[in-house]
Amino acid sequence: MNIHVYDTHVHTQSGEYLHFDVLVNDQNVPHVERYANAYLSSLGIEKGAIKQGRCQFCHSEIAAPEVHAQIIKQGYSILPIRIDTSLPG
């Protein structure tokens, strides 16, 4: 399965920084933002708590078997890259 990787960076009002990829197939590209928001919500971060964020297409690649299975099951997969919950200062 060929998938599309959407590189996502989020800064919250409280100073948290999250970097993760949203991985989707062709059919689920229109839902990338919804999937990113669902992931953030699962971490307890609601849309109103986001100070700045971006989610943009990065590249396409062949899916690993576990990613393929997640996309078949729920339409997307999340690859967490960095979560920094330390507050500045």
Side-chain angles (χ1 to χ4, degrees):
M1 168 189 284
N2 196 43
I3 59 165
H4 308 291
V5 178
Y6 284 77
D7 188 39
T8 308
H9 299 265
V10 173
H11 296 270
T12 67
Q13 298 288 354
S14 63
E16 295 171 300
Y17 169 71
L18 297 95
H19 178 197
F20 58 94
D21 288 341
V22 181
L23 313 173
V24 296
N25 60 9
D26 290 337
Q27 294 79 17
N28 291 307
V29 167
H31 308 293
V32 169
E33 187 176 337
R34 180 167 52 99
Y35 297 148
N37 287 331
Y39 173 66
L40 290 168
S41 183
S42 77
L43 298 175
I45 300 170
E46 296 304 322
K47 204 170 187 175
I50 296 172
K51 177 178 166 184
Q52 179 182 8
R54 69 177 165 88
C55 182
Q56 63 188 32
F57 174 75
C58 183
H59 66 279
S60 297
E61 62 185 48
I62 301 298
E66 60 275 6
V67 170
H68 179 119
Q70 287 177 339
I71 290 173
I72 294 300
K73 181 179 178 181
Q74 65 185 19
Y76 68 102
S77 180
I78 299 290
L79 176 62
I81 298 171
R82 179 178 175 199
I83 299 176
D84 182 1
T85 58
S86 60
L87 297 174

